[in-house]
């Protein structure tokens, strides 16, 4: 994968297949990966799952309507905003320490 700092992200929105890697604490491993996947019951049609370690496959966040970008994908600006607050008690998406891998799914 081609990893780059989330803080340097130039994209306006992310769709399925985007992976975030960042340091975490228990109950996660020291390094954790989260991935955006499709979720048709979500207002944005996307959710965030843990894609590594013991919690792989577990839903971490169903994106709310305010996370939706005008393109229909997840807003990067919204992600940066909530990342400062943290979206789970023990894993925080901090742009300064988070790495993003963008790999577009192809048909």
């Amino acid at each position: 994968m081609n990893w780059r700092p989330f803080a340097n992200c130039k994209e306006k929105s992310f769709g399925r297949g985007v992976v975030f890697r960042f340091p975490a604490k228990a109950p996660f491993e020291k390094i954790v990966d989260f991935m955006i996947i499709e979720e048709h019951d979500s207002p944005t049609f996307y959710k965030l799952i843990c894609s590594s370690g013991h919690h792989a496959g577990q839903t971490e966040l169903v994106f709310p309507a305010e996370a939706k970008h005008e393109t229909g994908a997840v807003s990067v600006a919204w992600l940066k905003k909530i990342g400062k607050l943290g979206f789970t008690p023990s894993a925080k998406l901090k742009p300064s320490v988070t790495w993003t891998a963008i790999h577009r799914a192809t048909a």
Side-chain angles (χ1 to χ4, degrees), residues 15-84:
R16 67 184 168 101
V18 172
V19 177
F20 302 96
R21 173 170 284 173
F22 52 96
K25 300 180 207 171
F28 295 98
E29 290 73 21
K30 290 182 180 183
I31 301 291
V32 68
D33 293 346
F34 283 8
M35 181 171 58
I36 296 176
I37 66 168
E38 292 180 352
E39 172 58 63
H40 296 286
D41 291 333
S42 164
T44 59
F45 297 106
Y46 295 103
K47 70 179 179 180
L48 195 67
I49 65 164
C50 182
S51 59
S52 65
H54 179 74
H55 294 277
Q58 179 175 304
T59 297
E60 300 301 328
L61 175 70
V62 175
F63 290 108
E66 58 267 20
K68 193 170 191 175
H69 187 266
E70 63 190 33
T71 61
V74 177
S75 166
V76 170
W78 187 86
L79 282 169
K80 287 181 178 181
K81 177 183 169 188
I82 66 135
K84 292 177 185 172

Side-chain angles (χ1 to χ4, degrees), residues 6-26:
F6 182 53
N8 298 345
C9 177
K10 304 280 189 247
E11 285 81 2
K12 301 288 184 200
S13 64
F14 288 147
R16 67 184 168 101
V18 172
V19 177
F20 302 96
R21 173 170 284 173
F22 52 96
K25 300 180 207 171

